[in-house]
Amino acid sequence: MSLISGLLQGAQAPPKQDAASTIQTLCLRLSSATLLEDRRAAILGLRSFARDYQELVASEGLRELIATLSRDREDLDTAKAVLETLLTLFVRDEANPESSEDIALWLTDEFTQKQENITILLDLLEDADFYIRLYTIQLLAAISQNRPARTQECVFTAPLGVTRLVSILDDKRDAIRNEAVLLIIHLSAGHTDIQKLITFQGTLDQVFSIIDMEGGVDGGIVVQDCLQLLSNLLSFNVSNQNYFRETGCVSKLAKLLTLSEDEVPPFAKEQRDTNIQYALRLVRLFVVPGGLGTATNQNALVAAGLLHLVITVAFLSSCEMTVRAEALKAIADLIDGNESLQHSFAQIQVALPHLQPQSNGEDAEEENGEAHCGVIEALLDLALWDSSIHSFDARLAACRCLEAYFNGNSPVRTFFLKHAIQLYAEGDESPNAVSCLLNLDSASRGDPYRVWIASVILIHLIFNDTGAKVMATEMREGDAEAGEEEVTAIQGISANLITALQHQYDPRICIGYLMLLCIWLYEDSDAVDDFLSETSSVQTLVSAVKENGVDPIVQGLSTFLLGILYEFSHQKSPVTRSHLHQLLATQMTRDLYVNKITLLRSHPLIRDFEVSKDDFMPGHRRRKHGLPEVYFDQVFIEFLKENYGAVMRAIDKAPELETRVSGNGVVKTSNGVNLEELQSLRAQLSEKAEILERIEGERERERQAMEQQHSTTLERIERERLNEREAMEQQHSSALAEIEKARRTMEQQLANAQSSSKLAELQGDLQKAAADNEAQLTKVSQDVETRDQRIAELSKTIETAAKEHTQDLQTAHEEYTAELESKTTLVDKLQKKLDILQKQLAEAEVKGVDEKLAAVISEKEEARKKADEVQAELDDLFMVLGDLEEKRKQDKKWLKELGAEVSDDEDDDGDNDDEDEDEE
């Protein structure tokens, strides 16, 4: 028995191993096994645990799986098993509590942090095996979804990474090709360099070929994916758009939007509409308003016939309203800001849109006849008359299309507004924005967006267009000659606004009117006076602001309109500026005024207007039930934010500081100062400044002329003095030479006469001659010294006079400079005070300028007198020089009488000097 029991105990099964130990064992075997079969078996074991134990398999075996994929990728079964295991780890199992998104992120980081890991996957794409290629693409797609930026950089830097991805689009196996499209969509999103590489690999033609094979817009979701890929490649990428245009792909896009007339099965209609919307969004990518190549793309797309094709889609009754709305927005972008296309667009005829469902098939057939109308009339019909809630997106898109038709084309605005006013005056029942605004009937009350859209249309007609605003302001209803009361457009609109406020109509009606009036009356005092002609309107606005239960947006806009009325009113307005200020500051109070405008500016619909954009319109918020929450237009939001500060500060301005602007935009009065008088004063100041500048120029020229004349005179006197001294020295030398010659002659005669009886007589004569010569020499030396002293005195006198003259000029210049600075300071003070000074103060300042100008002219006359005195002194000096010259001639004559020889050259030099002096 003991033996049997021992054998039974020895035959018992080994202890059961748990999952964690098994996974660790498999990972150890995978890392240490030398045989391929052993590694494959370990991988298959890990794959069986990957779904239920994702965290354990990922933490223990991820690095070994990646290493095996690099080492054994030549073996298809092993590589396939590894890829399946990795894909299982990426998929989150909602039923498994251990499965989480963090595991997928950790796996992604392990791949993307090492470039060689992504390179391994890209190398596997070259394998033609179906599963290897499919699983590799799916694994790359999972990595890209978790870490898109890192994955893009790894693929972009990998050798031929993008090229190998694009080449998969040529795979004939649909599953692989479709997965490749999805992967390229992920990788191309937001990366300009990858977009360019993909595009210049010939991807556009490949994608259009796939779309054709799938049946165009009638195809399935693969067509949608291909259109999404094209959108990624072309979105805000000018070089790719140019490549698209230059390689003839525009015609392929036009072919895509050429819809067949065959009836679409109900199950395929939704996907078809989605594909059409994606194709239309692709068109809009080329013509983004304000884009770099928008104008070129507009012309190219229209030349390919896309405009007519899109218009056909927009008014095709078989299309859903969402598709028609997208088509209308594409039309708007195609013609926006392009005058030639705007004019040609208006000439297009379209079939009348079916705005309401028909009661029976016969009526529908009649309606589908040959009835056509202009595209502008059709857009107005859709925007203003279609009250169906399901058509709301199309109505907004039609309004946007009309805005694009007006944009940047003043003649079109003027013509459209003039035609609308004429239709209203004639009582025409055609769809008309002016009629919808002035006739607040039951249909308009039942459809609040009719008034709202009409207001938006008129806003875009008159905004930043003075001519259109003046035309609208001058519009009148009623025949004064027949005794009827004339009612202006502003008065009619204000009356409808007051009615809507008093009866508490839908806030969208009031908001539409208030938006229009705020833009219309801003910087237009004539329009403000027109509004204030009905004095009860202001009181109604104040009551709406103070009353509880009124929509806060309506209260804020009413306060904003009251601020505009006060800012641009004046003392001669029907409701004076002082009375308006009393209403705002006393009856409504400043705190309430500031609070309502502040709440309006901080309202989420205004504050977050640009951020809360959806696929259809900025600020468009949908509801499950009721009307959409669309309250504002883009133009009004920009207007409000730009002028919010000025209107907020308007209540703090005194009634006397009025600002008056005419209807044509000319500012007549600003902060109480008449700008016409201000301009006149500025012109007078400018004229005085020119006179001062001219006087300064004349004084400067006179000073320069006097300095030049003084310098020339001094140079001439100095030159004459030097010449005189040289001549005197030459004469002295000649006289000495003559005396020496006479002495030698006398000595010769004396020597010859020593033996004769006349020796004593000759000696007497000799002594007498020597004494005479000595006396003559002494006299000549004294004359020379006297003349030198006289010349020195004259030079000193001239220098003294020059210094005095220069000092006088400097003093006059300093006085003038100080005077000029004083005038400049005075002009600056006048410029600073012009906004608050009245006409009398300005005239007094101008009078002071005239007096000071007269003083400057008087100083100029005194300076001229001083210059004349200096000129007289110079004339005296010239007379002295003439006396010296006369004395010089007498000296020469005297020398000749003494027997001294004076050469003819000296005489000629003297004569020449005289001639030079005469010329000077």
Side-chain angles (χ1 to χ4, degrees):
M1 290 295 294
S2 61
L3 179 62
I4 294 173
S5 62
L7 291 174
L8 290 175
Q9 292 177 0
Q12 290 179 357
K16 189 175 181 180
Q17 197 173 23
D18 60 354
S21 301
T22 303
I23 292 172
Q24 291 177 354
T25 302
L26 291 173
C27 292
L28 179 61
R29 183 182 301 173
L30 179 61
S31 61
S32 60
T34 57
L35 295 178
L36 178 62
E37 290 77 7
D38 294 340
R39 294 195 293 272
R40 186 188 305 135
I43 294 170
L44 293 174
L46 290 173
R47 185 182 67 177
S48 63
F49 285 101
R51 186 175 300 277
D52 297 328
Y53 300 94
Q54 285 184 332
E55 186 175 357
L56 283 173
V57 175
S59 61
E60 297 291 341
L62 177 61
R63 291 183 176 85
E64 297 302 330
L65 288 171
I66 296 175
T68 303
L69 190 63
S70 175
R71 181 173 60 239
D72 300 330
R73 63 185 176 186
E74 299 297 334
D75 183 70
L76 298 181
D77 294 334
T78 303
K80 176 183 174 183
V82 173
L83 292 172
E84 288 176 346
T85 304
L86 292 173
L87 283 174
T88 304
L89 294 176
F90 270 97
V91 177
R92 181 183 178 184
D93 186 2
E94 299 292 341
N96 186 2
E98 294 186 1
S99 179
S100 66
E101 295 180 356
D102 295 338
I103 297 175
L105 292 175
W106 185 79
L107 294 172
T108 302
D109 292 338
E110 188 66 28
F111 270 100
T112 56
Q113 287 177 357
K114 294 182 180 180
Q115 175 68 44
E116 56 269 18
N117 293 340
I118 300 296
T119 304
I120 292 171
L121 296 179
L122 293 174
D123 293 338
L124 288 174
L125 293 177
E126 298 181 357
D127 199 310
D129 183 76
F130 177 82
Y131 292 103
I132 297 295
R133 182 170 285 189
L134 179 63
Y135 292 158
T136 302
I137 295 173
Q138 291 176 345
L139 186 59
L140 284 171
I143 294 171
S144 178
Q145 287 178 352
N146 292 323
R147 298 290 189 212
R150 290 185 186 177
T151 308
Q152 286 173 336
E153 290 301 322
C154 291
V155 173
F156 181 69
T157 55
L160 298 177
V162 176
T163 303
R164 284 185 280 190
L165 286 175
V166 173
S167 64
I168 304 176
L169 295 177
D170 293 328
D171 200 309
K172 302 301 181 182
R173 292 165 289 191
D174 293 347
I176 295 177
R177 183 200 63 194
N178 297 342
E179 291 291 337
V181 171
L182 294 175
L183 175 59
I184 296 176
I185 288 174
H186 291 304
L187 292 176
S188 62
H191 199 293
T192 305
D193 294 328
I194 291 180
Q195 292 171 1
K196 292 179 181 178
L197 283 176
I198 293 174
T199 301
F200 287 94
Q201 295 288 335
T203 307
L204 300 178
D205 293 331
Q206 292 174 310
V207 173
F208 275 111
S209 298
I210 296 173
I211 293 174
D212 290 339
M213 287 188 292
E214 293 293 327
V217 292
D218 295 328
I221 194 171
V222 176
V223 175
Q224 177 182 337
D225 294 336
C226 290
L227 292 172
Q228 179 62 51
L229 175 57
L230 290 175
S231 298
N232 285 5
L233 297 178
L234 298 173
S235 179
F236 301 103
N237 196 316
V238 178
S239 61
N240 284 1
Q241 292 178 6
N242 293 336
Y243 182 82
F244 185 96
R245 190 177 63 248
E246 293 169 359
T247 53
C249 293
V250 176
S251 59
K252 297 179 181 179
L253 181 58
K255 179 182 176 182
L256 188 63
L257 287 171
T258 304
L259 304 182
S260 63
E261 298 180 358
D262 299 335
E263 185 177 356
V264 182
F267 66 87
K269 191 174 187 307
E270 182 179 357
Q271 185 60 52
R272 175 178 178 268
D273 291 343
T274 302
N275 293 339
I276 295 174
Q277 289 185 64
Y278 271 80
L280 292 171
R281 291 171 186 171
L282 185 61
V283 172
R284 296 182 63 192
L285 290 176
F286 288 91
V287 287
V288 176
L292 183 61
T294 297
T296 304
N297 292 335
Q298 284 176 333
N299 295 328
L301 294 175
V302 173
L306 272 167
L307 180 59
H308 287 79
L309 292 173
V310 176
I311 291 175
T312 301
V313 175
F315 293 98
L316 192 63
S317 59
S318 61
C319 290
E320 293 292 333
M321 279 297 179
T322 54
V323 178
R324 294 173 60 183
E326 192 67 34
L328 288 169
K329 288 185 287 186
I331 294 171
D333 292 340
L334 281 170
I335 65 173
D336 192 4
N338 194 318
E339 292 188 9
S340 60
L341 296 181
Q342 288 168 344
H343 288 293
S344 60
F345 170 72
Q347 309 302 321
I348 297 176
Q349 296 287 319
V350 297
L352 284 172
H354 300 282
L355 302 179
Q356 302 293 342
Q358 301 298 326
S359 58
N360 53 57
E362 295 179 358
D363 294 339
E365 290 179 1
E366 292 177 2
E367 205 55 45
N368 281 325
E370 297 298 328
H372 285 76
C373 66
V375 66
I376 302 300
E377 183 180 353
L379 291 172
L380 288 170
D381 194 299
L382 175 60
L384 298 175
W385 281 6
D386 188 356
S387 59
S388 173
I389 188 65
H390 304 290
S391 304
F392 181 72
D393 296 329
R395 296 179 71 182
L396 291 183
C399 181
R400 169 73 183 94
C401 199
L402 290 170
E403 295 167 9
Y405 173 59
F406 308 142
N407 185 26
N409 198 329
S410 182
V412 168
R413 290 183 182 182
T414 304
F415 174 79
F416 185 92
L417 181 59
K418 184 178 180 180
H419 182 67
I421 294 173
Q422 182 179 357
L423 290 178
Y424 175 75
E426 295 173 355
D428 196 302
E429 296 183 357
S430 300
N432 185 357
V434 175
S435 300
C436 291
L437 288 171
L438 295 177
N439 297 330
L440 188 58
D441 51 15
S442 58
S444 298
R445 294 194 296 272
D447 178 20
Y449 279 108
R450 176 176 297 183
V451 173
W452 189 90
I453 292 175
S455 299
V456 171
I457 292 174
L458 193 55
I459 284 173
H460 284 267
L461 285 171
I462 66 175
F463 185 67
N464 287 338
D465 193 325
T466 304
K469 181 185 285 190
V470 171
M471 182 185 299
T473 305
E474 293 176 350
M475 176 187 171
R476 278 165 173 71
E477 181 182 7
D479 189 359
E481 296 180 356
E484 298 178 358
E485 181 183 1
E486 283 190 344
V487 179
T488 64
I490 292 178
Q491 292 172 356
I493 291 173
S494 63
N496 290 338
L497 171 62
I498 299 308
T499 302
L501 289 173
Q502 291 175 344
H503 294 83
Q504 294 186 354
Y505 291 161
D506 190 284
R508 294 165 183 80
I509 296 176
C510 300
I511 290 172
Y513 281 133
L514 287 169
M515 285 194 305
L516 174 60
L517 288 173
C518 286
I519 291 181
W520 196 337
L521 304 184
Y522 193 81
E523 292 186 343
D524 191 344
S525 298
D526 296 338
V528 169
D529 292 346
D530 194 0
F531 182 91
L532 294 175
S533 61
E534 294 293 336
T535 56
S536 60
S537 300
V538 177
Q539 189 62 47
T540 304
L541 290 174
V542 174
S543 300
V545 175
K546 297 175 60 179
E547 184 178 351
N548 296 325
V550 180
D551 188 271
I553 298 178
V554 174
Q555 287 185 327
L557 289 175
S558 299
T559 308
F560 197 79
L561 179 58
L562 287 169
I564 292 175
L565 292 173
Y566 175 68
E567 174 69 13
F568 297 102
S569 63
H570 49 91
Q571 297 300 338
K572 296 182 180 179
S573 297
V575 179
T576 64
R577 183 175 173 84
S578 301
H579 184 57
L580 280 175
H581 187 268
Q582 184 179 3
L583 286 174
L584 297 179
T586 304
Q587 185 173 346
M588 194 171 72
T589 72
R590 181 186 183 280
D591 293 340
L592 182 61
Y593 176 89
V594 173
N595 181 50
K596 292 300 181 182
I597 294 183
T598 303
L599 291 177
L600 175 67
R601 178 63 180 83
S602 60
H603 196 284
L605 290 176
I606 294 178
R607 182 192 61 207
D608 305 329
F609 185 84
E610 290 82 2
V611 180
S612 61
K613 294 179 180 179
D614 71 348
D615 294 336
F616 294 94
M617 179 179 177
H620 181 180
R621 300 186 179 187
R622 296 182 178 276
R623 288 179 174 176
K624 293 183 179 180
H625 305 287
L627 295 174
E629 292 186 357
V630 178
Y631 296 100
F632 297 107
D633 178 68
Q634 177 77 33
V635 170
F636 178 77
I637 293 296
E638 294 175 356
F639 165 81
L640 175 65
K641 292 182 178 180
E642 181 179 355
N643 301 291
Y644 159 77
V647 176
M648 173 73 82
R649 296 187 298 270
I651 194 173
D652 296 325
K653 293 174 64 175
E656 296 78 13
L657 301 178
E658 64 184 42
T659 298
R660 188 170 183 179
V661 184
S662 63
N664 56 5
V666 178
V667 181
K668 295 182 177 180
T669 306
S670 178
N671 293 328
V673 178
N674 190 314
L675 295 186
E676 294 180 354
E677 297 179 359
L678 177 63
Q679 190 67 25
S680 176
L681 292 175
R682 286 176 176 172
Q684 293 180 19
L685 289 174
S686 177
E687 182 180 356
K688 302 300 182 184
E690 291 179 358
I691 294 173
L692 290 174
E693 185 178 356
R694 187 166 61 251
I695 293 174
E696 170 66 14
E698 292 177 358
R699 292 188 61 176
E700 182 66 18
R701 286 192 296 272
E702 291 178 359
R703 184 183 64 81
Q704 292 178 356
M706 293 177 67
E707 288 180 354
Q708 184 177 3
Q709 183 179 3
H710 175 65
S711 176
T712 304
T713 304
L714 290 178
E715 290 178 359
R716 187 180 61 186
I717 293 174
E718 184 66 22
R719 186 171 60 253
E720 291 177 353
R721 188 183 69 176
L722 292 176
N723 293 335
E724 183 71 18
R725 178 172 294 178
E726 291 177 358
M728 295 294 291
E729 289 177 355
Q730 290 178 358
Q731 291 178 3
H732 183 64
S733 300
S734 294
L736 290 177
E738 291 293 335
I739 293 171
E740 183 64 22
K741 182 177 179 182
R743 186 181 63 79
R744 290 178 180 175
T745 303
M746 295 298 291
E747 289 179 353
Q748 181 76 27
Q749 292 177 357
L750 180 61
N752 294 332
Q754 282 182 354
S755 57
S756 64
S757 60
K758 296 182 179 180
L759 178 60
E761 185 180 353
L762 290 174
Q763 288 179 348
D765 294 337
L766 179 61
Q767 292 177 356
K768 184 178 180 180
D772 292 339
N773 288 336
E774 187 67 24
Q776 187 67 30
L777 287 173
T778 302
K779 184 177 181 181
V780 169
S781 299
Q782 292 176 352
D783 291 339
V784 171
E785 292 177 358
T786 302
R787 291 172 183 174
D788 289 340
Q789 292 177 356
R790 180 59 178 168
I791 290 173
E793 292 176 356
L794 291 174
S795 299
K796 186 176 181 180
T797 303
I798 292 172
E799 291 177 358
T800 303
K803 290 180 180 180
E804 293 177 353
H805 177 63
T806 303
Q807 186 174 3
D808 292 339
L809 288 176
Q810 183 66 25
T811 302
H813 179 69
E814 292 176 355
E815 291 176 355
Y816 170 73
T817 302
E819 188 68 24
L820 183 60
E821 291 177 355
S822 175
K823 296 296 186 299
T824 304
T825 304
L826 181 60
V827 170
D828 293 338
K829 290 181 179 179
L830 286 173
Q831 186 66 28
K832 293 178 180 178
K833 295 180 180 179
L834 278 176
D835 292 336
I836 58 175
L837 290 179
Q838 299 297 327
K839 181 178 179 181
Q840 295 81 1
L841 180 58
E843 291 177 353
E845 292 294 340
V846 172
K847 183 177 179 181
V849 172
D850 292 336
E851 293 176 355
K852 294 183 179 181
L853 179 62
V856 172
I857 295 173
S858 176
E859 292 175 4
K860 175 186 172 183
E861 294 296 331
E862 292 179 0
R864 286 181 177 175
K865 291 179 180 180
K866 291 182 180 180
D868 294 338
E869 292 176 359
V870 173
Q871 185 64 35
E873 292 179 0
L874 291 175
D875 294 339
D876 294 339
L877 290 176
F878 289 144
M879 293 177 64
V880 172
L881 290 175
D883 295 339
L884 289 174
E885 184 63 27
E886 186 65 27
K887 181 65 174 174
R888 179 183 175 189
K889 292 181 180 179
Q890 292 177 359
D891 290 341
K892 289 181 180 180
K893 184 178 180 181
W894 176 73
L895 288 173
K896 289 181 180 179
E897 292 176 352
L898 291 177
E901 294 182 2
V902 180
S903 62
D904 295 336
D905 294 337
E906 294 177 355
D907 293 338
D908 295 337
D909 291 341
D911 296 338
N912 291 335
D913 292 340
D914 295 340
E915 293 174 359
D916 294 338
E917 292 178 358
D918 295 338
E919 292 176 358
E920 294 177 357

